[in-house]
Amino acid sequence: MRRIAADGETFSWDRNVAEATARGWWFPEPPGRTVVAVDDDDTVVGTAVSGPNHGGPAAHVATASFMVDPDFHGGGVGRALGEHVLDQAQADGYRAMQFNAVVETNTRAVGLWRSLGFEVLATVPEAFHHPVDGYVGLHIMYRRL
Amino acid sequence: MRRIAADGETFSWDRNVAEATARGWWFPEPPGRTVVAVDDDDTVVGTAVSGPNHGGPAAHVATASFMVDPDFHGGGVGRALGEHVLDQAQADGYRAMQFNAVVETNTRAVGLWRSLGFEVLATVPEAFHHPVDGYVGLHIMYRRL
């Protein structure tokens, strides 16, 4: 997590986020859920957090965030996590899933979510300051469950 | 706040939200800001909370939430709060403001934000369960500063 946050290319987190802060975000109270993906040696290679995107009368739409160890990019970890989280959200009774801030230059993530049935509802213009590409958009992505 | 939350028509909060929870949301750490609107007798008639919508590389886009005492609806309280929050956000250096969940049937709010220069970037379909109108959309609204 520290490496992904420090990299500053995909997460809307402080690049030097404190461990306690990140733990707070990644381990929400129920009905929030946290999962990890492990390889054959039980090494954690990715993780996801999910839960309601808003509360009360809007709590039937889920959201989720995903991190994959950069050393394991391209190995299907994100897809496995995504499929699991979608299945679990459907089982939990959510009616849709919404991602609030997918960096438009994160083409690996955007392509993965599209392949799993998400569409871009809107792109918030220049909402993310990428260390290489400058101001780029944040996609709001959505799919029914 | 209790009355507005319990009403269930405009806020994506638990309708029986605990006071401590609401206080936590409405009084964020800096750079979050909380303001109140008062009438000539210094009675609080409305309030707003504002701050960065996301963190780190996305922290230059602000968000805000507003509540006006229902007994004072139509009296310009929301507009006064909105204008103040927009001016303050601009002064604080934010480049834009985004609202994440404006209930589409809340025509008073939608009209106010449009009149203050906001556009609807997207409407998340059926994302809010209104006690009278059933499943209605949540607007994501946006304007540059």
Side-chain angles (χ1 to χ4, degrees):
Chain A
M1 284 193 172
R2 201 184 306 277
R3 179 172 162 195
I4 291 168
D7 166 74
E9 297 193 354
T10 59
F11 260 72
S12 298
W13 286 12
D14 286 341
R15 293 175 71 169
N16 60 349
V17 61
E19 180 174 342
T21 304
R23 282 185 182 276
W25 289 333
W26 215 261
F27 295 98
E29 301 281 302
R33 291 180 180 274
T34 306
V35 295
V36 294
V38 297
D39 70 5
D40 291 340
D41 299 324
D42 280 347
T43 302
V44 172
V45 294
T47 178
V49 59
S50 57
N53 193 40
H54 299 297
H60 56 283
V61 178
T63 191
S65 294
F66 298 83
M67 285 191 180
V68 174
D69 183 331
D71 292 340
F72 290 84
H73 275 171
V77 178
R79 179 173 300 275
L81 283 166
E83 290 174 345
H84 170 84
V85 166
L86 285 165
D87 287 348
Q88 184 67 62
Q90 192 167 38
D92 286 341
Y94 291 103
R95 295 165 58 100
M97 183 166 288
Q98 178 181 339
F99 299 149
N100 300 299
V102 182
V103 180
E104 66 179 343
T105 51
N106 187 0
T107 51
R108 179 185 290 113
V110 175
L112 172 61
W113 304 132
R114 284 192 191 277
S115 79
L116 289 175
F118 285 81
E119 62 179 313
V120 174
L121 277 191
T123 305
V124 186
E126 302 182 1
F128 188 89
H129 194 203
H130 189 283
V132 176
D133 300 323
Y135 287 101
V136 299
L138 283 176
H139 289 324
I140 294 163
M141 301 189 76
Y142 174 87
R143 69 157 273 187
R144 291 185 185 277
L145 294 174
Chain B
M1 283 193 173
R2 202 184 306 278
R3 180 172 162 194
I4 291 168
D7 167 74
E9 297 192 355
T10 59
F11 260 73
S12 297
W13 287 11
D14 286 342
R15 292 174 72 169
N16 61 349
V17 61
E19 179 174 342
T21 304
R23 282 186 181 276
W25 289 332
W26 214 261
F27 296 97
E29 301 280 303
R33 291 180 180 274
T34 306
V35 295
V36 295
V38 297
D39 69 5
D40 291 340
D41 300 324
D42 281 346
T43 302
V44 172
V45 295
T47 179
V49 59
S50 57
N53 192 40
H54 298 297
H60 56 284
V61 178
T63 191
S65 294
F66 298 82
M67 286 191 178
V68 174
D69 184 332
D71 292 340
F72 290 84
H73 274 172
V77 178
R79 179 174 301 275
L81 284 167
E83 288 174 348
H84 171 83
V85 166
L86 285 166
D87 287 347
Q88 183 68 61
Q90 193 168 36
D92 286 341
Y94 291 104
R95 295 165 58 101
M97 183 166 288
Q98 178 181 339
F99 300 149
N100 300 300
V102 182
V103 180
E104 66 179 343
T105 51
N106 186 2
T107 51
R108 179 186 291 112
V110 175
L112 172 59
W113 304 134
R114 284 192 191 278
S115 79
L116 289 176
F118 284 81
E119 62 179 313
V120 173
L121 276 191
T123 305
V124 187
E126 302 181 1
F128 189 88
H129 194 204
H130 189 283
V132 176
D133 300 322
Y135 287 102
V136 298
L138 283 176
H139 289 325
I140 294 163
M141 300 189 76
Y142 174 88
R143 68 157 274 187
R144 292 185 184 277
L145 296 175

